[in-house]
Amino acid sequence: MKQTVLKGKFLIEAVITLVTGLHIGTSSDFTPIGAVESPFVRDHFTKVPIIPGSSLKGKLRTLLAKMRSPGYVLNKIEDDDEVICRLFGSTSKNGVIGARLQFYDVFVTPESIEKISRMDTDTYMGEVKFENSITRLTATAIPRQIERVPAGTDFAFKLVYNIENEKEIEEDFATLSAALMMLQMDYLGGHGSRGYGRVAFSNFSVRYAGLNKNLEEYAGRLKTALEGSCLK
């Protein structure tokens, strides 16, 4: 792995608001009769819904790879272009590139927890969406229950950017802003073609941590760049 000099970090924070119900599923080996067949992922300690950092990272990388792919067929992950590899990391026969972006699991804000706790929800902090899939030949309906985090829920988004090359900061943030904008025009989680998982970003902030005070001046410009990705 090629070693780089760490010149500081930017902490990026924002609010992710669910425009439509969100379902990021979890596996279940046993489903009792009458229980929800497809629950969403929760924090094991608090049982509050979360957005796994891996879900955000994978979705943003895939959207960028689709946009930058030279052909209709998506390339292998190790063949992503230089900017994507340095932002999200890469492991290939040519070596390892460390990711500059460090994602967090994203938790529901305390205000949303309080708001949803006062609602008459189907499950703890969740709604159950009843759907049917139809067999075309027989027109037989196959019902299913999908648990969703309700629309209007706010999540506290956090992301760290490692500063390794000052000349590449603005290009990296322009690429990140494009990915965030595309995510808001796409969806997060499952069942997006049926309207699930529409999200909106707002209230961006960028803070610098490090010893080079000259890099602090970037924070305001980067915040403006990220705010340009907001569709809300």
Side-chain angles (χ1 to χ4, degrees):
M1 179 175 176
K2 183 179 179 181
Q3 298 295 315
T4 57
V5 177
L6 181 64
K7 299 181 179 180
K9 292 174 179 281
F10 287 117
L11 173 63
I12 304 160
E13 296 180 284
V15 174
I16 300 178
T17 300
L18 302 187
V19 179
T20 62
L22 172 71
H23 176 82
I24 298 177
T26 182
S27 61
S28 177
D29 294 330
F30 173 71
T31 302
I33 295 175
V36 176
E37 299 168 10
S38 185
F40 56 64
V41 63
R42 284 180 160 84
D43 175 60
H44 286 291
F45 182 69
T46 64
K47 306 305 180 184
V48 171
I50 64 170
I51 299 175
S54 57
S55 296
L56 276 168
K57 180 179 180 180
K59 185 68 178 187
L60 291 173
R61 181 170 191 155
T62 299
L63 288 171
L64 285 173
K66 287 181 177 179
M67 182 179 70
R68 292 168 173 258
S69 177
Y72 180 77
V73 179
L74 196 60
N75 55 266
K76 296 180 180 179
I77 192 168
E78 59 265 25
D79 295 327
D80 283 344
D81 68 29
E82 178 185 353
V83 179
I84 295 177
C85 286
R86 73 189 187 215
L87 285 176
F88 295 92
S90 176
T91 303
S92 69
K93 60 183 180 181
N94 298 321
V96 177
I97 300 173
R100 291 183 182 178
L101 295 179
Q102 299 177 345
F103 287 81
Y104 286 69
D105 286 343
V106 183
F107 293 87
V108 180
T109 64
E111 294 79 11
S112 278
I113 292 176
E114 182 181 356
K115 179 177 68 176
I116 297 175
S117 67
R118 297 196 301 266
M119 298 167 57
D120 184 17
T121 54
D122 302 304
T123 61
Y124 179 60
M125 295 197 68
E127 62 182 10
V128 176
K129 182 86 159 42
F130 287 83
E131 295 191 352
N132 286 315
S133 60
I134 307 297
T135 304
R136 287 186 173 183
L137 293 178
T138 63
T140 302
I142 304 174
R144 57 184 175 182
Q145 303 173 41
I146 299 176
E147 187 181 30
R148 309 196 308 180
V149 186
T153 303
D154 289 334
F155 288 81
F157 173 75
K158 287 185 178 182
L159 177 65
V160 168
Y161 172 83
N162 285 340
I163 305 168
E164 298 174 0
N165 187 327
E166 296 175 39
K167 296 180 180 179
E168 295 171 346
I169 292 175
E170 295 196 20
E171 182 182 20
D172 286 350
F173 269 74
T175 304
L176 175 60
S177 296
L180 294 175
M181 180 176 287
M182 286 191 292
L183 174 58
Q184 293 168 92
M185 295 180 183
D186 205 89
Y187 60 88
L188 190 60
H191 313 292
S193 63
R194 296 197 296 276
Y196 289 41
R198 307 294 175 178
V199 301
F201 285 84
S202 62
N203 299 332
F204 275 101
S205 67
V206 179
R207 287 185 287 167
Y208 169 73
L211 301 176
N212 187 348
K213 297 301 181 181
N214 293 329
L215 289 173
E216 289 184 352
E217 66 184 40
Y218 275 97
R221 299 206 304 270
L222 300 177
K223 176 175 181 285
T224 300
L226 293 171
E227 287 174 338
S229 69
C230 296
L231 299 181
K232 185 177 178 182

